[in-house]
Amino acid sequence: MVVYPGTYHEPGSPCPTDASHTCSVVVTKDDIRLIAQSSKKKPVIVENPGTHDQGIAIARSGAAGPGCLTDPTQRIQRARVQGFTVNGFGSEGIFLF
């Protein structure tokens, strides 16, 4: 998916590894590419609207810490995130599990 320049304040979704937290963008499938068409004059910004814990989270729903090391069903395959500026999140800006 190509994302065009602008500042984005997403409505959010439950984070895949902890549904009690909110993530702006959630990817839970394999083979997803998020490519920002950024330049210095025209960035692609994902900005916390004020209540989200993470910016972009890429993980299987319910994936848990060390379990992803031994359980391949907990892993996302072939994900790519490129060219984003991520601002104002209390936890991770971009989280790949």
Side-chain angles (χ1 to χ4, degrees):
M1 169 189 282
V2 174
V3 182
Y4 295 100
T7 300
Y8 295 87
H9 298 103
E10 297 300 311
S13 297
C15 294
T17 59
D18 184 349
S20 69
H21 291 158
T22 302
C23 294
S24 284
V25 176
V26 173
V27 175
T28 59
K29 297 180 179 182
D30 293 335
D31 300 306
I32 300 295
R33 291 187 279 169
L34 297 175
I35 309 298
Q37 293 294 308
S38 294
S39 69
K40 286 185 181 184
K41 292 183 180 182
K42 294 183 179 183
V44 176
I45 301 168
V46 176
E47 194 167 75
N48 190 343
T51 58
H52 298 179
D53 301 291
Q54 295 176 338
I56 300 170
I58 299 177
R60 296 256 184 244
S61 293
C68 77
L69 297 174
T70 57
D71 181 0
T73 65
Q74 290 192 31
R75 300 181 200 143
I76 295 289
Q77 301 292 322
R78 298 168 301 280
R80 182 175 179 181
V81 178
Q82 178 180 323
F84 289 86
T85 299
V86 184
N87 290 332
F89 295 93
S91 291
E92 296 83 14
I94 298 175
F95 177 79
L96 295 117
F97 197 76

